[in-house]
């Protein structure tokens, strides 16, 4: 063999070998991500190496949001970012925290979260990669876009609402620990009077049923529950799907309280000295076949108003389902199709 060629080959081989070794070293690092190093390279520019923050950047050291036993919100914050006012230890910060979901793997995020929960004076349990993976709800990625496209014209990009549209930011209904009622509102819409933080709104929230998929509703609900000053946990597609029957009965309960309770009593006990019949325990209400009851609601009878034209078939199904399952009643659910079939 030509000696020059042998030299070139040898150099090439050494280069390839060192490249392979280098790769292996990198693989080894990736297998055990170092939370402290990740924090130094990705987070310390804003939150400082001391974790004390400064300016618009909140402290992570001594921050109970960071050390909370339930890590759901912490994980979502770092995955999806957040912006708008946030209160930490009695001080208000207002800046933009970037989303890390596309830049850091589940393992990296678990490592950096474990680090911030145990560094400085913090002393909370580790976060695992499977926990991060579970929170990486792929549908949550488009929540902000759906909000911008479908909701922001009324509720405003910052979620603060207007004099006519209620705020979603800082709204206890939106951040409630059980998201069922809020899911019901987004699915079915709702109208007037609605009291939020002492202000009464009297508008009409559109129905999104048929316009947004369960996944989209989960995404936008997750977004509004975690954006701005809200800090509630995410909503999964399964929760939206599972909310089906409950959605109907939540809507039914609200229709009953606004349209029916004045006569039939808040607990279906009847009223008016016997003029308005009790619906609790009523035989027509509990009948296996709901047609008779639907007929009375649609067409009215004597003093009982006719609701056809005032309530949609979906609303009548919802209120009938509610009445048939409330206060010990045991009638089955009523569907929109059942209502449409009663002429
Ligand atoms: C460009 C600056 C910046 C970088 C980089 C940054 N953050 Fe933030 N972070 C912020 C700001 C600003 C807020 C407050 C956001 C708000 O006002 O809503 C915040 C908020 C947070 C919160 C929420 C605190 C609370 O009380 O709920 C956590 C947790 C957090 N950051 C962790 C991290 C981690 C971990 C990293 C690195 C992977 C990181 N941040 C990188 C700017 C940054
Ligand atoms: C056309 C204007 C409009 C649009 C668009 C709109 N909303 Fe609403 N929304 C309202 C009004 C008005 C109310 C209050 C209804 C009432 O008075 O009962 C409301 C109420 C709500 C509530 C209930 C708040 C509470 O305190 O119970 C939620 C949650 C909500 N909207 C979320 C959304 C989401 C998510 C979207 C986008 C998918 C959206 N809204 C799009 C007008 C709108
Ligand atoms: C203005 C008072 C009033 C309101 C409001 C009202 N009802 Fe009635 N409802 C009555 C009266 C009175 C009767 C009994 C009619 C009769 O004597 O035949 C009745 C009867 C009924 C019955 C039949 C009970 C039976 O066994 O025959 C049902 C079901 C019913 N109402 C449901 C509703 C629902 C659901 C709503 C709301 C969407 C509603 N009502 C709103 C006054 C009212």
């Amino acid at each position: 063999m030509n000696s020059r060629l042998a030299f070139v080959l040898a150099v090439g081989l050494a280069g390839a070998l060192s490249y392979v070794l280098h790769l292996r070293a990198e693989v080894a690092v990736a297998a055990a991500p170092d939370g402290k190093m990740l924090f130094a390279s990705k987070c310390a520019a804003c939150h400082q190496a001391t974790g004390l923050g400064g300016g618009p950047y909140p402290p992570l050291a001594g921050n109970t949001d960071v050390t909370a036993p339930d890590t759901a919100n912490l994980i979502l914050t770092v995955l999806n970012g957040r912006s708008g006012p946030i209160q930490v230890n009695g001080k208000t910060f207002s800046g933009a925290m970037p989303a890390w979901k596309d830049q850091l793997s589940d393992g990296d995020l678990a490592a950096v979260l474990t680090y911030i929960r145990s560094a400085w004076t913090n002393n909370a349990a580790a976060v695992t990669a499977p926990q991060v993976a579970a929170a990486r709800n792929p549908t949550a990625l488009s929540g902000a876009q759906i909000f911008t496209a479908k909701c922001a014209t009324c509720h405003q990009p910052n979620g603060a609402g207007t004099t006519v549209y209620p705020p979603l930011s800082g709204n206890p209904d939106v951040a409630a620990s059980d998201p069922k009622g809020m899911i019901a509102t987004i699915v079915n819409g709702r109208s007037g009077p609605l009291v939020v933080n002492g202000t009464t709104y009297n508008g009409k929230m559109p129905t999104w049923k048929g316009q947004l998929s369960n996944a989209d509703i989960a995404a936008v609900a997750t977004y509004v529950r975690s954006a701005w000053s809200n800090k509630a946990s995410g909503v999964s597609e399964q929760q939206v799907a599972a909310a089906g029957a409950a959605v109907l009965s939540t809507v039914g309960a609200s229709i009953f309280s606004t349209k029916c309770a004045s006569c039939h009593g808040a607990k279906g006990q009847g009223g008016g000295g016997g003029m308005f019949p009790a619906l609790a325990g009523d035989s027509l209400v509990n009948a296996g076949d709901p047609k008779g009851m639907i007929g009375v609601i649609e067409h009215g009878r004597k003093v009982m108003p006719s609701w056809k034209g005032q309530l949609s078939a979906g609303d009548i199904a919802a209120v009938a389902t509610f009445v048939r399952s409330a206060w010990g009643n045991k009638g089955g659910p009523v569907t929109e199709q059942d209502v449409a079939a009663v002429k």
Side-chain angles (χ1 to χ4, degrees), residues 148-242:
T148 303
K150 308 275 187 190
C151 323
T153 46
C154 294
H155 294 289
Q156 303 301 298
N158 62 0
T162 67
T163 50
V164 182
Y165 303 115
L168 301 182
S169 172
N171 177 332
D173 301 331
V174 171
S177 56
D178 182 346
K180 273 207 202 77
M182 184 211 180
I183 295 172
T185 297
I186 301 174
V187 172
N188 299 297
R190 59 160 291 143
S191 55
L194 171 72
V195 180
V196 179
N197 298 335
T199 303
T200 303
Y201 298 86
N202 224 320
K204 199 160 171 12
M205 157 78 176
T207 303
W208 296 97
K209 185 164 50 190
Q211 301 195 52
L212 293 176
S213 66
N214 284 350
D216 287 346
I217 291 171
V220 75
T222 295
Y223 175 74
V224 299
R225 280 166 64 82
S226 61
W228 318 302
S229 59
N230 295 343
K231 286 187 183 182
S233 57
V235 170
S236 68
E237 192 178 338
Q238 289 74 12
Q239 270 174 304
V240 176

Side-chain angles (χ1 to χ4, degrees), residues 7-262:
F7 177 75
V8 166
L9 274 179
V11 168
L13 200 67
L17 196 68
S18 88
Y19 178 69
V20 166
L21 284 176
H22 181 72
L23 263 189
R24 295 191 65 187
E26 256 180 14
V27 167
V29 167
D34 180 335
K36 187 173 183 180
M37 264 174 58
L38 281 166
F39 184 84
S41 64
K42 306 283 185 191
C43 324
C46 295
H47 295 288
Q48 304 303 304
T50 55
L52 294 175
Y57 309 118
L60 303 179
N63 177 336
T64 51
D65 297 332
V66 173
T67 54
D70 180 345
T71 54
N73 293 334
L74 175 67
I75 295 173
L76 278 178
T77 296
V78 177
L79 267 179
N80 301 322
R82 59 160 294 138
S83 62
I86 185 173
Q87 289 261 336
V88 178
N89 299 338
K91 232 185 122 192
T92 302
F93 297 84
S94 193
M97 155 82 178
W100 296 97
K101 59 178 190 270
D102 296 331
Q103 303 189 46
L104 296 178
S105 67
D106 294 344
D108 287 347
L109 281 163
V112 76
L113 288 169
T114 296
Y115 174 72
I116 64 173
R117 280 166 65 80
S118 60
W120 317 302
T121 52
N122 294 350
N123 186 12
V127 170
T128 65
Q131 279 177 307
V132 177
R136 236 184 231 275
N137 180 350
T139 61
L141 309 188
S142 57
Q145 278 118 291
I146 297 173
F147 184 84
T148 303
K150 308 275 187 190
C151 323
T153 46
C154 294
H155 294 289
Q156 303 301 298
N158 62 0
T162 67
T163 50
V164 182
Y165 303 115
L168 301 182
S169 172
N171 177 332
D173 301 331
V174 171
S177 56
D178 182 346
K180 273 207 202 77
M182 184 211 180
I183 295 172
T185 297
I186 301 174
V187 172
N188 299 297
R190 59 160 291 143
S191 55
L194 171 72
V195 180
V196 179
N197 298 335
T199 303
T200 303
Y201 298 86
N202 224 320
K204 199 160 171 12
M205 157 78 176
T207 303
W208 296 97
K209 185 164 50 190
Q211 301 195 52
L212 293 176
S213 66
N214 284 350
D216 287 346
I217 291 171
V220 75
T222 295
Y223 175 74
V224 299
R225 280 166 64 82
S226 61
W228 318 302
S229 59
N230 295 343
K231 286 187 183 182
S233 57
V235 170
S236 68
E237 192 178 338
Q238 289 74 12
Q239 270 174 304
V240 176
V247 160
L248 208 59
S249 105
T250 314
V251 170
S254 95
I255 296 170
F256 185 85
S257 73
T258 55
K259 310 276 187 198
C260 325
S262 55

Side-chain angles (χ1 to χ4, degrees), residues 255-264 271 274-279 282-286 292-297 300-307 311 315-316 319-320 322-323:
I255 296 170
F256 185 85
S257 73
T258 55
K259 310 276 187 198
C260 325
S262 55
C263 294
H264 292 289
M275 183 152 99
F276 307 120
L279 300 180
D282 178 85
S283 59
L284 189 71
V285 167
N286 285 282
M293 174 189 183
I294 296 169
V296 174
I297 300 174
R301 209 168 62 199
K302 300 189 209 155
V303 185
M304 161 76 179
S306 155
W307 295 99
L311 291 175
D315 286 347
I316 292 177
V319 74
F322 170 74
V323 168

